[in-house]
Amino acid sequence: MSGKMDTFQDIVKNLPNPGLGLGLRSKHFNHILEHNPAVDWFEVISENFMDSGGRPRHVLRQIAERYPVVMHGVSLSIGSTDPLNMEYLSKLKALAEEVKPLWISDHLCWTGVNSLNTHDLLPVVLNEESLTHICNRINQVQEFLGRPVVFENPSTYLTFKQSTIPEWDFLRYMTEETGCGLLLDVNNVYVSGFNNDFDPVHYIHQLPHDRIVQMHIAGHQHCGTHIIDTHDRNVVQDVWKLFNLAWQLTGGVATLLEWDSNIPDFEAYHAELLKAKQYMSSISNSNPIPEIQEYSEAAVSNPVDFLVSDILG
């Protein structure tokens, strides 16, 4: 396995930087096909297309012919104690062979147990036993797919008492043991840092920056005592500041804006992404960070919710 791991590490280090991308949403299908907007690349939720042979799959094929595409999954459940779902992996591999994505990504999480899917990205215990278990599963997945997988840091709302390894170290050890890549969700770092009382700046500094292939930015909902990762509004200034730090430390990697609920029209969606250009260079620390607006109504982001609408769209 060490030989393949070295190969995967080399592949990850040589993956391209396609620029600034958007999550592909069914609401924007017609606009994209009719206007060919100047977006560098699109990220698709793998599960929204794996079982569809209708219009969504047809649209995806057309978009993949015009733009670079990345496949982003939410059901790999790499942290579960269930056996790996080989039917799911076979569908994932078949979709990748058709779409030819730049890379495939998923999350450091588990989504269910005993064959039940919670349709949520649940946190894992961060200790040596969990690390060994997850690395073994990553090796199996990468062996089956014949390519490295890129894993995202999740947004979390609690810390397990059994956790003995900081998340940033856990992610680093994962890359060292498996050759996988990392997707740094900057918004998730901010959300998790607030909810679990750690410094998001320290977190980003401690990551293995040469293993980071991609970044996510998104909006969240601040509820005063906690933050919910909703992906349903604009990116706050604090997250943009963290993005600037991550951009400098990584040397600049592919960056994508996620928006999964209350999705605006395409022009507003794209305009929010293009704000990233303002933060791709040094920003003076003297600029004040505005207060984050607090919201009272709660909503939880789950890209899988768009599966039905995408199939019917």
Side-chain angles (χ1 to χ4, degrees), residues 39-54:
V39 178
D40 294 335
W41 60 286
F42 285 100
E43 179 185 82
V44 304
I45 303 301
S46 303
E47 290 78 0
N48 285 354
F49 299 92
M50 284 166 50
D51 292 311
S52 172

Side-chain angles (χ1 to χ4, degrees), residues 19-276:
L20 297 176
L22 289 173
L24 181 65
R25 302 295 179 255
S26 59
K27 176 176 180 176
H28 302 135
F29 280 178
N30 289 340
H31 180 91
I32 296 167
L33 294 178
E34 292 171 8
H35 299 285
N36 291 316
V39 178
D40 294 335
W41 60 286
F42 285 100
E43 179 185 82
V44 304
I45 303 301
S46 303
E47 290 78 0
N48 285 354
F49 299 92
M50 284 166 50
D51 292 311
S52 172
R55 181 171 183 262
R57 192 75 163 251
H58 176 64
V59 169
L60 177 57
R61 284 194 293 268
Q62 293 182 73
I63 290 175
E65 290 174 355
R66 306 180 190 183
Y67 299 91
V69 168
V70 163
M71 287 168 47
H72 185 54
V74 293
S75 300
L76 181 59
S77 199
I78 201 68
S80 176
T81 56
D82 277 0
L84 288 168
N85 186 334
M86 299 311 296
E87 180 182 2
Y88 171 86
L89 286 173
S90 294
K91 292 178 180 179
L92 186 68
K93 186 174 184 178
L95 181 62
E97 290 173 350
E98 180 178 333
V99 174
K100 295 180 173 51
L102 297 179
W103 56 83
I104 297 174
S105 64
D106 208 288
H107 301 77
L108 173 61
C109 73
W110 59 287
T111 60
V113 70
N114 293 331
S115 301
L116 298 175
N117 193 337
T118 67
H119 297 291
D120 205 349
L121 307 175
L122 304 172
V124 299
V125 175
L126 304 175
N127 58 27
E128 290 190 13
E129 182 180 6
S130 175
L131 178 64
T132 298
H133 173 69
I134 288 172
C135 286
N136 287 338
R137 286 164 68 86
I138 291 175
N139 286 333
Q140 293 177 59
V141 169
Q142 294 184 148
E143 172 79 14
F144 180 82
L145 296 177
R147 62 165 76 206
V149 178
V150 177
F151 285 93
E152 175 182 343
N153 57 293
S155 55
T156 57
Y157 305 89
L158 55 81
T159 300
F160 290 105
K161 290 183 178 179
Q162 295 87 349
S163 290
T164 57
I165 304 174
E167 188 172 280
W168 49 86
D169 285 339
F170 195 96
L171 291 167
R172 175 163 51 83
Y173 297 150
M174 264 177 45
T175 68
E176 292 172 352
E177 293 298 320
T178 68
C180 72
L182 296 180
L183 193 171
L184 170 58
D185 191 312
V186 180
N187 181 64
N188 287 358
V189 174
Y190 185 83
V191 169
S192 298
F194 185 92
N195 292 335
N196 297 290
D197 195 27
F198 65 74
D199 179 4
V201 171
H202 177 76
Y203 182 113
I204 291 176
H205 270 288
Q206 296 305 307
L207 291 171
H209 304 124
D210 63 335
R211 308 301 300 168
I212 297 172
V213 171
Q214 179 187 341
M215 288 191 280
H216 274 169
I217 47 177
H220 62 245
Q221 182 171 313
H222 200 296
C223 302
T225 58
H226 60 284
I227 298 177
I228 301 176
D229 180 31
T230 51
H231 299 182
D232 65 351
R233 63 200 68 198
N234 298 89
V235 182
V236 300
Q237 183 74 1
D238 303 64
V239 172
W240 282 124
K241 288 273 190 176
L242 285 177
F243 168 71
N244 170 256
L245 171 65
W247 182 264
Q248 294 183 62
L249 291 174
T250 61
V253 296
T255 297
L256 181 121
L257 172 66
E258 293 184 297
W259 206 309
D260 295 319
S261 183
N262 299 323
I263 301 173
D265 61 32
F266 190 87
E267 288 80 4
Y269 187 29
H270 193 198
E272 183 69 9
L273 168 68
L274 294 180
K275 291 180 184 178

